[in-house]
Amino acid sequence: MNTTRLQLTLCIMASFLLTSCASMIDKGRVEDRQKELLYNEGTRALINKDYPQALTHLLKARAIDDQDTRIHNNLGMAYFF
């Protein structure tokens, strides 16, 4: 009886662990997608010489990933212009 309870407990714990890992992966994918959309919108605004709009989008993208050098490069150009 105790072995069955232990197995059941381990199964439940494993399913919680797998579920939490899967949700973290999904969250990372969503954030990556948001970052890319914001980066693309910021870049498009930069090309169209709408610098305030470019800054808005690029700053939001940087808030998601502050290590992306593409975002920093375009932010620098938006501030320069």
Side-chain angles (χ1 to χ4, degrees):
M1 182 85 173
N2 286 337
T3 305
T4 305
R5 266 194 181 161
L6 179 62
Q7 289 174 341
L8 180 61
T9 303
L10 289 175
C11 285
I12 291 171
M13 289 174 60
S15 65
F16 281 128
L17 178 64
L18 292 173
T19 303
S20 66
C21 289
S23 66
M24 288 190 301
I25 291 170
D26 289 342
K27 182 181 177 189
R29 288 181 185 160
V30 169
E31 285 182 346
D32 284 344
R33 181 73 176 137
Q34 287 175 333
K35 177 189 78 168
E36 287 301 316
L37 289 172
L38 289 166
Y39 170 77
N40 291 336
E41 285 297 315
T43 301
R44 188 173 299 120
L46 187 62
I47 291 168
N48 293 331
K49 299 181 181 179
D50 185 359
Y51 305 118
Q53 192 67 26
L55 283 172
T56 299
H57 291 301
L58 292 168
L59 288 170
K60 288 179 183 178
R62 187 186 66 183
I64 296 171
D65 182 1
D66 66 345
Q67 301 297 315
D68 191 325
T69 56
R70 301 173 307 147
I71 296 169
H72 285 279
N73 182 61
N74 285 5
L75 270 172
M77 289 192 297
Y79 279 120
F80 178 78
F81 294 118

